[in-house]
C-alpha cells in the first residue's frame, strides 16, 4: 500500500505519459511480496474481477516484478502485466529521437527482456517431446536468446563509440575553456524550460514526465560577459531502472564532467525532498559530489513565502526562481558566477608577445587588476580561474 500522494500518484502520471488510460486502482498491504505472484492469491482474484468489470487489457504494477511473478500473473489474470521498469522503458522508447537515445533505450529494453525470455522459454520447452528430448520451443528460445545477446554486444560497441566521441567533444570544449554548467533534476522539474529561458533556445517542453530525453547543450553569456555552456540532461525519477542508468551512462558522464551543476527542484511539489533524494542517489551512482550543486527552487511563484524560506534552509546554496515567468534568474546567474569565481586564484604572470593570445583568458575568465607592457612581454596582476591557470602555465612552459 502506497502513499496516495507519492508513488501511486507518480505511477498515474507515468501511465498517462505512456499513452494508457487509467480506469481503476488496487493496493495491498503485505509485510513481504509473494514470491510467485507478488500480491496474494486472493488479491489476484480480486484484481481479475476488477479488470473484467472495467474491460481492461493491461495491468500495471508500481513495483518491479521478477520474470516468474510476471509470467504467473499473466497466466492467472489472462492479461498483459507490466511492471514499473517496463512502463518507464516504454516511455523512453516513445521519447527517444536521436540515434544515441534510441540505441541506449534499445539496450536497456533488451537487458530487461533477456531474463523474461528465459523464463517464458521454460514453459515453451514443455511443448516438445518426452524426457531427454529438446522441443521446438526450447530451440526457438536458444535462437532468440542468442540473437538478443548478439544485439546487446553490438549495441554496447556502438554506445562505447559514442562515449569516445563525447570524450573528444569534451576535450575540445576544455581547450576553448568555456565552463560547462549541467542542469540536473527530477523529471518535469522544469530543466528544459530553464534552458530555454537562459539561452533563448527552443528545446521541446511539455508538462509531462520525460518530455525530453536527449541531451541538449546551448552557449550563452553570464552578466559579466563570460561565455558558458548550459547542458540539459535526462530527468531522474524514483527507482530509475538500473538498465537505464547503465545504458545512459555515456550521457550521464556529461554531468560528471561539468564545471558546475544546477539542480532544478520543483518546489511546488509537496514531495520535493523525496525527489531531491532520488536525484542525489543517481548522481552518487555515477560519482558526482553534491558539493558542486547550486539548487534552483523552480516554480517558486506557486508556493507561499514561508515555504520557500523553509526550502532554502533544507537545501543550502539555493535560489528561488520561476523559469516560466523569468523570476529570480538574475540572482541565479550571479550565484553561478560566484561559484565559478570561487575556483579562482590571484596570479602574477608575464605573457610573451608571441603568446599574446593568452590574454583572452583574463578577459573572458578572470579579472585584470594591473596590466603593463614591458620589453619582453605583457605583465599582468589579476585573478584567474584555477582551471585556466593550469592551462596558462602549461602553455607558457611549452615555450
Amino acid at each position: 500500500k502506497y502513499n496516495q500522494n507519492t508513488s501511486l500518484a507518480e505511477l498515474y502520471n507515468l501511465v498517462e505519459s505512456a499513452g494508457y488510460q487509467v480506469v481503476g486502482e488496487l493496493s495491498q498491504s503485505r509485510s513481504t511480496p509473494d514470491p510467485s505472484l507478488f500480491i496474494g492469491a486472493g488479491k489476484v482474484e480480486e484484481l481479475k474481477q476488477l479488470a473484467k468489470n472495467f474491460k481492461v487489457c493491461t495491468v500495471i504494477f508500481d513495483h518491479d516484478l521478477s520474470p516468474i511473478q510476471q509470467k504467473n500473473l499473466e497466466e492467472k489474470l489472462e492479461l498483459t502485466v507490466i511492471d514499473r521498469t517496463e512502463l518507464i522503458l516504454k516511455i523512453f522508447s516513445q521519447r527517444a529521437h536521436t540515434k544515441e537515445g534510441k540505441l541506449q533505450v534499445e539496450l536497456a529494453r533488451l537487458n530487461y527482456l533477456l531474463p523474461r525470455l528465459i523464463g517464458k522459454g521454460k514453459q515453451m520447452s514443455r511443448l516438445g517431446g518426452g524426457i531427454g528430448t529438446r522441443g521446438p520451443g526450447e530451440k526457438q528460445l536458444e535462437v532468440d536468446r542468442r540473437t538478443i545477446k548478439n544485439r546487446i554486444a553490438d549495441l554496447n560497441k556502438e554506445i562505447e563509440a559514442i562515449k569516445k566521441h563525447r570524450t573528444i567533444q569534451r576535450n575540445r570544449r576544455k581547450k576553448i575553456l568555456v565552463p560547462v554548467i549541467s542542469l540536473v533534476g527530477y523529471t518535469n522539474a522544469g530543466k528544459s524550460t530553464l534552458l530555454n529561458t537562459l539561452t533563448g533556445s527552443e528545446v521541446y517542453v511539455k508538462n509531462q514526465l520525460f518530455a525530453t530525453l536527449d541531451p541538449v547543450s546551448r552557449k550563452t553569456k553570464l552578466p559579466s560577459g563570460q561565455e558558458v555552456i548550459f547542458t540539459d540532461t535526462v530527468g531522474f525519477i524514483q527507482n530509475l531502472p538500473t538498465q537505464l542508468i547503465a545504458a545512459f551512462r555515456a550521457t550521464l558522464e556529461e554531468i560528471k564532467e561539468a564545471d558546475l551543476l544546477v539542480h532544478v527542484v520543483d518546489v511546488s511539489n509537496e514531495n520535493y525532498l523525496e525527489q531531491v533524494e532520488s536525484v542525489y542517489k543517481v548522481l552518487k551512482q555515477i560519482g558526482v559530489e553534491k558539493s558542486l550543486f547550486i539548487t534552483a527552487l523552480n516554480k517558486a511563484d506557486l508556493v507561499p513565502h514561508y515555504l520557500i524560506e523553509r526550502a532554502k534552509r533544507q537545501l543550502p546554496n539555493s535560489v528561488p526562481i520561476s523559469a516560466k515567468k523569468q523570476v529570480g534568474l538574475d540572482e541565479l546567474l550571479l550565484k553561478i558566477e560566484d561559484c565559478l569565481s570561487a575556483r579562482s586564484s590571484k596570479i602574477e604572470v608575464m605573457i610573451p608577445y608571441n603568446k599574446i593570445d593568452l590574454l583572452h583568458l583574463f578577459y573572458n575568465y578572470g579579472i585584470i587588476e594591473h596590466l603593463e607592457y614591458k620589453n619582453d612581454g605583457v605583465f599582468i596582476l589579476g585573478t584567474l580561474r584555477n582551471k585556466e591557470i593550469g592551462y596558462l602555465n602549461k602553455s607558457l612552459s611549452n615555450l
Side-chain angles (χ1 to χ4, degrees), residues 257-311:
E257 295 295 329
D259 295 278
L260 187 67
L261 302 183
V262 174
H263 181 192
V264 183
V265 176
D266 178 3
V267 75
S268 71
N269 188 306
E270 61 185 40
N271 302 303
Y272 68 86
L273 287 179
E274 294 178 21
Q275 295 182 350
V276 165
E277 288 304 317
S278 295
V279 172
Y280 287 168
K281 183 179 178 181
V282 176
L283 292 177
K284 186 177 180 181
Q285 287 181 261
I286 61 174
V288 176
E289 296 293 332
K290 289 189 290 185
S291 59
L292 294 172
F293 281 12
I294 292 174
T295 301
L297 301 174
N298 195 27
K299 307 181 187 181
D301 55 308
L302 305 177
V303 181
H305 179 72
Y306 76 95
L307 291 179
I308 294 296
E309 291 302 312
R310 184 182 69 180

Side-chain angles (χ1 to χ4, degrees), residues 1-49:
K1 189 176 178 77
Y2 300 97
N3 185 325
Q4 295 287 333
N5 294 322
T6 54
S7 187
L8 204 55
E10 186 170 85
L11 178 67
Y12 187 99
N13 290 330
L14 285 169
V15 170
E16 288 203 323
S17 293
Y20 294 99
Q21 180 183 359
V22 180
V23 296
E25 62 184 54
L26 190 67
S27 60
Q28 182 179 34
S29 218
R30 288 179 63 96
S31 55
T32 57
D34 183 274
S36 62
L37 293 168
F38 186 72
I39 56 177
K43 188 60 69 171
V44 171
E45 291 303 315
E46 184 181 347
L47 179 57
K48 185 175 183 178
Q49 187 59 49

